[in-house]
Amino acid sequence: METYNIAVLPGDGIGPEVMDVTLKVLDLVAEHHQLQFSFQKADVGGTAIDQHGTALPDPTLEICRQSDAILFGSVGGPKWEHLPPKEQPERASLLPLRKAFSLFANLRPGLLYPSLIPASPLKPEIIPDGIDILCVRELTGGIYFGDRYTKVLGNNDIEAADTMIYRKSEIERIARVAISAAQNRKKRVCLVDKANVLETSVLWRKTVSDYMEAYAPDIELETMYVDNAAMQLVRNPSQFDVILTENMFGDILSDEMGVVCGSLGMLASASLGMLENRFAHPFGLFEPAGGTAPDIAGKNLANPCAQILSAALLLRFSLGLDEVAAAIEHAVSKVVNGGTRTGDIAFGGPFVSTTEMGDAICMALSA
Ligand code: IPM
Ligand code: MN
């Protein structure tokens, strides 16, 4: 029987409770498909600060290194907000994890099931068929990782700087990811940049268009300035298929995409690294987009779907278990479209708990 090692990092807030439900789902599909998952749990984020004095302890990194993929919950919360920004759980665990494993490709599917159209803040007539966008965000470069400083000037004024740097090679490797995603979708990529102002954006535009002309002439490339893209996402999101963009624009646009897709509780994400020779599939970190939701943490109220769908992405991208991933995605959509809802997607109607949602998905998987 094939055994896979999965590093499980539940983190803070609702992380542990949605993770518990997700591991049940994974155990169930393992049984159905004659697989074995070995889960190695490790502390991360605020919980790790409390237990070990650091948001990303060495043993946690080591467990990740030994694994085939990382299933990540969420990190952060009011308890750690007094810490200096550099030491806060989000920045001190997620960013170093991304860098340590060169997770340069962040895929965020923005999917709004037709039955959840009322959960979107957009008017239903703008999105009659729901939404299906894939945001491909560069994740280990740009302004997130360039040099930064704050210094006091001679006249006592204060200056701060963050540097945005991109190389052609970095742009090409993320372009490849967007192209291969587009091949399996509507064969359209929209490159979002600020080429009317930024030098890095000019390089992005040239690199992506040259690359696609040479290697993917069948994929249609559109370019759009980021301010316009932010507007188009609420004006007419259905025009997008694959959005390709740099780190910070992707951070901002993917939150916007998240909210137009209804609940953050439904959004999964994959952060993928390079294909290495000894692996057939890229290593990756898989996490829900929604955050720790401290207001409902520990109350068995959170929507576990984003975590479960993130586990499905893990199976697909890092383990190559497409069919199993699709079975999970199908079960989630069946349950949600069938009217079983957690509070965030219940429109004021009756709702179920985190564990009941998990049970319903397990039932659908067994049906
Ligand atoms: C995200 C988050 C992170 C980011 C933060 C927590 C560092 O907002 O994954 O989008 O900005 O990348
Ligand atoms: Mn973000």
Side-chain angles (χ1 to χ4, degrees):
M1 199 184 315
E2 193 84 54
T3 299
Y4 299 97
N5 292 313
I6 302 179
V8 174
L9 279 49
D12 311 318
I14 60 168
E17 55 201 289
V18 295
M19 189 64 87
D20 281 347
V21 165
T22 302
L23 298 187
K24 271 201 199 167
V25 170
L26 284 175
D27 278 331
L28 185 69
V29 294
E31 210 181 296
H32 289 172
H33 297 261
Q34 278 86 51
L35 308 162
Q36 198 163 352
F37 295 126
S38 165
F39 301 125
Q40 312 296 328
K41 275 202 184 176
D43 292 325
V44 74
T47 316
I49 294 178
D50 293 351
Q51 306 268 332
H52 316 272
T54 158
L56 185 61
D58 285 340
T60 298
L61 252 185
E62 196 44 43
I63 284 178
C64 294
R65 276 205 190 96
Q66 305 286 332
S67 68
D68 297 310
I70 306 169
L71 187 59
F72 194 94
S74 46
V75 293
K79 188 172 173 198
W80 304 281
E81 270 163 19
H82 67 279
L83 293 171
K86 259 193 209 149
E87 289 166 35
Q88 292 199 4
E90 295 91 327
R91 210 167 131 183
S93 63
L94 264 180
L95 298 190
L97 267 173
R98 288 172 186 170
K99 207 60 181 176
F101 295 102
S102 304
L103 306 175
F104 69 94
N106 185 220
L107 307 187
R108 298 192 167 174
L111 195 61
L112 174 64
Y113 303 148
S115 71
L116 289 184
I117 288 174
S120 172
L122 299 186
K123 293 198 191 85
E125 56 267 33
I126 297 180
I127 39 170
D129 306 317
I131 299 175
D132 184 3
I133 305 174
L134 178 70
C135 180
V136 178
R137 167 188 175 197
E138 200 291 326
L139 201 62
T140 48
I143 204 164
Y144 272 64
F145 291 97
D147 283 345
R148 49 180 116 258
Y149 66 77
T150 304
K151 68 179 179 199
V152 181
L153 302 175
N155 62 359
N156 265 340
D157 200 356
I158 303 175
E159 178 179 287
D162 301 278
T163 331
M164 190 192 287
I165 298 178
Y166 269 110
R167 298 203 172 140
K168 184 177 164 194
S169 53
E170 276 177 299
I171 300 169
E172 283 180 344
R173 71 176 178 180
I174 190 76
R176 278 195 286 276
V177 174
I179 291 167
S180 90
Q183 305 281 18
N184 300 312
R185 296 174 53 101
K186 293 185 196 139
K187 296 187 183 283
R188 280 170 34 221
V189 171
C190 178
L191 170 66
V192 172
D193 62 29
K194 190 71 186 170
N196 49 351
V197 178
L198 302 179
E199 202 66 24
T200 42
S201 285
V202 173
L203 181 64
W204 269 80
R205 235 176 226 215
K206 168 134 183 51
T207 305
V208 173
S209 32
D210 288 354
Y211 193 87
M212 286 184 58
E213 208 178 292
Y215 299 107
D218 56 322
I219 306 278
E220 181 191 326
L221 174 67
E222 183 189 2
T223 53
M224 198 180 277
Y225 296 138
V226 62
D227 48 350
N228 185 25
M231 180 178 75
Q232 296 299 336
L233 263 175
V234 291
R235 211 185 63 86
N236 175 19
S238 317
Q239 71 185 281
F240 295 107
D241 184 36
V242 173
I243 293 177
L244 167 62
T245 192
E246 65 89 42
N247 204 342
M248 187 166 62
F249 296 160
D251 178 43
I252 299 166
L253 291 181
S254 63
D255 263 35
E256 191 188 358
M257 182 188 76
V259 75
V260 303
C261 286
S263 175
L264 285 177
M266 297 299 298
L267 291 182
S269 86
S271 303
L272 306 176
M274 244 102 50
L275 264 184
E276 290 172 43
N277 291 340
R278 63 200 173 96
F279 297 120
H281 302 281
F283 187 77
L285 178 151
F286 301 83
E287 59 174 328
T292 52
D295 50 322
I296 56 166
K299 297 185 179 158
N300 199 20
L301 286 173
N303 186 347
C305 290
Q307 188 77 62
I308 294 170
L309 293 170
S310 298
L313 294 180
L314 183 155
L315 302 184
R316 170 170 302 121
F317 287 114
S318 281
L319 308 184
L321 301 170
D322 259 313
E323 210 180 295
V324 191
I328 294 177
E329 286 161 350
H330 180 73
V332 171
S333 69
K334 192 167 145 195
V335 165
V336 171
N337 287 333
T340 305
R341 304 289 168 80
T342 41
D344 56 321
I345 48 173
F347 320 121
F351 60 87
V352 301
S353 66
T354 308
T355 42
E356 285 166 338
M357 189 61 148
D359 292 343
I361 292 166
C362 287
M363 288 253 288
L365 275 165
S366 300

